[in-house]
Amino acid sequence: MSEAVKTYLQQNRDKHLSELGDFLSIPSISALSEHKEDVRHAAEWMESSLKDAGVENVRLMETGGHPVVYGDWLHAAGKPTVLIYGHYDVQPVDPVELWETPPFEAHIRDEKIYARGASDDKGQTFMHVKAIEALLKVNGELPVNVKFLIEGEEEIGSVHLDSFVEEHRELLAADVLVISDTPMLEKGRPAICSGLRGLSSLQIDVKGAKGDLHSGLYGGGVQNSIHALVQILDSMRDSEGRVTVAGFYDKVEELNKDERAAMAELNFDEENLQKELEVPELFGEKGYSMIEQTWIRPTLEINGIYGGFQGEGVKTVIPSEAHAKITCRLVPTQDPDEIASLIEKHIAANTPKGVTVTTKRFDSGKPFAAPVDHPAFQIAAKAYEEVYSAPVAFTRMGGSIPVVETFDRILQVPIVLMGFGLPSENFHAPNEHFHLENFDKGLQTISTYLEKLGTQLNN
């Protein structure tokens, strides 16, 4: 990266952070229908930001749900084309009482910016816009051709993006796809993600009596819906973290010794993570390290459970209904629909007497794994190392970005996952934040990467 671009970024840092604060103030929660207009507002904000940066042909493109923001700059003759993907929607903020500052007011403290979306993914997407702005303002041109595709439904499974990508595959054609929605390995240890776990999610609804019953009059004679739900959930995993749903692991492939050795060589500090999370000990499937448990093993997790009386004090009722939400993170060769069917079969086989159980499927996404020997990955590693002065780790990520598998299948383009967040930044949780060290270095890394692609990648 040229010194002039670096200087521009430094001189405009306060302005850029103020703009990011404005972006973060928009409660663009795609999962909640009452925020539909807020989600659209965030799309319009991104549209305006791209135009201000110098991107051309910027427009909102409608889908069956929230709009996609598209823009491009295509004047680098003979140079590769880079498609940049991100999302402007965010997760719900519950429980709001655990936030130290309001979730949609950006606050900077201890060189971190706090707000919902700061790390996932408004902050990281915003960095790409500002990197393009810096290159255009300083040089008057870009070293590569660029296209932007920013969506508003990633946090609800990108439900309309598969068809959008299919319909607009020519518009989105590129030589490299770049995404910043993944974490680094640790502070000061950059990482390029080469694999994502898939996702399968369900809601379990248990119905007992026609209404809540007095626990004195009916207790001991009528099934309690919460007891029944707990029994079902407890049947899904054993005391050592292994999922007990029949067939769950049938298609899971074990890593070979070399792959497991490579992960061990990363020397991930589990003890430090334990202290950071403030837990008495880590817990996961027996026989695997923390990295293996979260990168290359599938999971089944209870994300929420509710029913009965939730207020202060005691209300002596037998609840009529109980509900739970579960998600499974899946590894390559596992199919989300097949896993959901196995879980539904397990629930049917383990439903206690006296209740009726139904399920509802929600977000799903297929796993993704990429070869890292393509030049686009190696150039990205050089850009990171130049800025961070540290070797790059090629990692996998326990989370899911459902549309990545779609991009891979339809666009057939190398997908470089260049993340700048840290695992400890509370994305999807209260007090989400983004380290400004990585905001600054991330801007430099993205700019450096685009410059290197322009001279080192043959399109």
Side-chain angles (χ1 to χ4, degrees):
M1 180 185 63
S2 70
E3 283 299 318
V5 172
K6 186 175 183 179
T7 299
Y8 177 89
L9 292 171
Q10 291 171 339
Q11 291 177 342
N12 287 273
R13 184 179 192 260
D14 290 344
K15 176 176 177 289
H16 291 164
L17 288 176
S18 176
E19 292 172 356
L20 176 57
D22 292 339
F23 191 24
L24 295 172
S25 72
I26 305 171
S28 50
I29 305 172
S30 56
L32 302 179
S33 58
E34 61 263 35
H35 286 284
K36 180 179 180 179
E37 292 306 315
D38 295 316
V39 178
R40 190 170 192 89
H41 180 198
E44 293 168 345
W45 191 97
M46 177 55 66
E47 178 187 28
S48 177
S49 183
L50 285 170
K51 289 178 180 178
D52 291 344
V55 179
E56 301 173 344
N57 303 310
V58 181
R59 59 190 184 274
L60 297 190
M61 301 182 70
E62 301 299 335
T63 70
H66 300 302
V68 160
V69 186
Y70 174 84
D72 59 40
W73 190 95
L74 305 173
H75 302 293
K79 300 294 184 179
T81 298
V82 179
L83 175 62
I84 298 170
Y85 164 84
H87 65 92
Y88 60 82
D89 65 318
V90 299
Q91 282 275 319
V93 299
D94 306 89
V96 68
E97 65 272 12
L98 297 184
W99 287 79
E100 294 180 17
T101 50
F104 293 107
E105 289 181 13
H107 288 259
I108 294 177
R109 54 184 185 271
D110 302 323
E111 279 301 289
K112 306 168 191 173
I113 185 167
Y114 285 79
R116 172 59 87 226
S119 183
D120 179 21
D121 181 44
K122 285 182 176 180
Q124 297 199 61
T125 298
F126 177 82
M127 287 161 56
H128 283 276
V129 180
K130 293 298 122 177
I132 293 299
E133 174 189 295
L135 290 167
L136 283 172
K137 296 294 185 183
V138 172
N139 300 326
E141 61 182 6
L142 297 178
V144 293
N145 299 294
V146 169
K147 298 178 179 179
F148 279 92
L149 172 62
I150 315 298
E151 70 152 321
E153 297 184 336
E154 195 277 341
E155 298 293 5
I156 53 173
S158 300
V159 287
H160 295 97
L161 203 59
D162 282 12
S163 57
F164 181 91
V165 174
E166 181 71 58
E167 182 180 352
H168 298 93
R169 62 168 66 199
E170 292 186 9
L171 177 69
L172 302 175
D175 299 292
V176 180
L177 171 59
V178 177
I179 302 174
S180 294
D181 194 13
T182 53
M184 296 168 46
L185 187 61
E186 292 175 312
K187 179 178 173 60
R189 298 186 68 184
I192 296 173
C193 182
S194 63
L196 299 165
R197 289 193 291 189
L199 178 70
S200 183
S201 58
L202 298 92
Q203 178 171 309
I204 305 171
D205 300 305
V206 178
K207 182 73 169 72
K210 63 180 181 180
D212 289 354
L213 302 176
H214 190 292
S215 66
L217 296 177
Y218 295 96
V222 178
Q223 179 66 273
N224 184 309
S225 63
I226 295 180
H227 280 293
L229 177 60
V230 169
Q231 186 174 327
I232 292 169
L233 296 174
D234 188 54
S235 73
M236 292 183 177
R237 201 174 75 172
D238 67 19
S239 61
E240 294 183 334
R242 186 172 177 84
V243 177
T244 53
V245 174
F248 187 82
Y249 294 101
D250 284 0
K251 295 184 178 179
V252 177
E253 297 179 351
E254 291 284 347
L255 289 188
N256 60 45
K257 292 182 179 179
D258 290 340
E259 291 171 316
R260 294 191 74 174
M263 289 187 179
E265 289 175 1
L266 294 174
N267 294 318
F268 184 78
D269 192 338
E270 294 190 9
E271 184 177 345
N272 183 63
L273 178 63
Q274 176 187 333
K275 293 177 180 178
E276 187 174 283
L277 298 179
E278 298 181 7
V279 293
E281 60 184 289
L282 299 177
F283 173 82
E285 186 183 0
K286 187 177 180 180
Y288 298 92
S289 68
M290 173 70 178
I291 280 183
E292 291 168 343
Q293 290 163 352
T294 57
W295 288 4
I296 53 90
R297 297 298 293 172
T299 67
L300 187 154
E301 299 288 350
I302 303 167
N303 308 121
I305 181 169
Y306 54 100
F309 179 63
Q310 305 292 319
E312 184 178 355
V314 175
K315 184 180 182 184
T316 54
V317 296
I318 298 172
S320 169
E321 299 181 5
H323 312 270
K325 298 177 186 291
I326 63 173
T327 53
C328 297
R329 299 293 177 169
L330 310 178
V331 298
T333 69
Q334 286 185 303
D335 179 77
D337 290 333
E338 182 178 355
I339 293 298
S341 295
L342 292 174
I343 293 172
E344 289 166 346
K345 184 178 179 180
H346 178 93
I347 291 170
N350 288 272
T351 296
K353 295 178 181 180
V355 294
T356 301
V357 178
T358 57
T359 60
K360 183 186 300 182
R361 298 187 187 186
F362 288 101
D363 303 355
S364 68
K366 293 183 177 180
F368 167 77
V372 296
D373 54 356
H374 190 281
F377 290 87
Q378 304 307 316
I379 296 170
K382 292 177 182 177
Y384 268 119
E385 290 167 359
E386 185 173 308
V387 174
Y388 280 85
S389 301
V392 168
F394 286 94
T395 67
R396 297 194 188 189
M397 189 180 84
S400 308
I401 307 177
V403 77
V404 169
E405 188 275 338
T406 302
F407 286 136
D408 183 52
R409 174 170 42 85
I410 296 176
L411 300 183
Q412 298 182 2
V413 60
I415 302 172
V416 184
L417 296 162
M418 299 180 66
F420 299 95
L422 292 177
S424 60
E425 288 178 336
N426 289 0
F427 27 84
H428 292 207
N431 302 309
E432 179 180 350
H433 56 277
F434 188 40
H435 285 68
L436 296 186
E437 173 189 8
N438 291 324
F439 177 80
D440 297 329
K441 289 185 175 180
L443 283 166
Q444 296 176 34
T445 303
I446 293 167
S447 302
T448 301
Y449 182 47
L450 296 178
E451 290 178 348
K452 288 183 180 296
L453 282 176
T455 59
Q456 299 178 25
L457 183 67
N458 296 319
N459 64 334

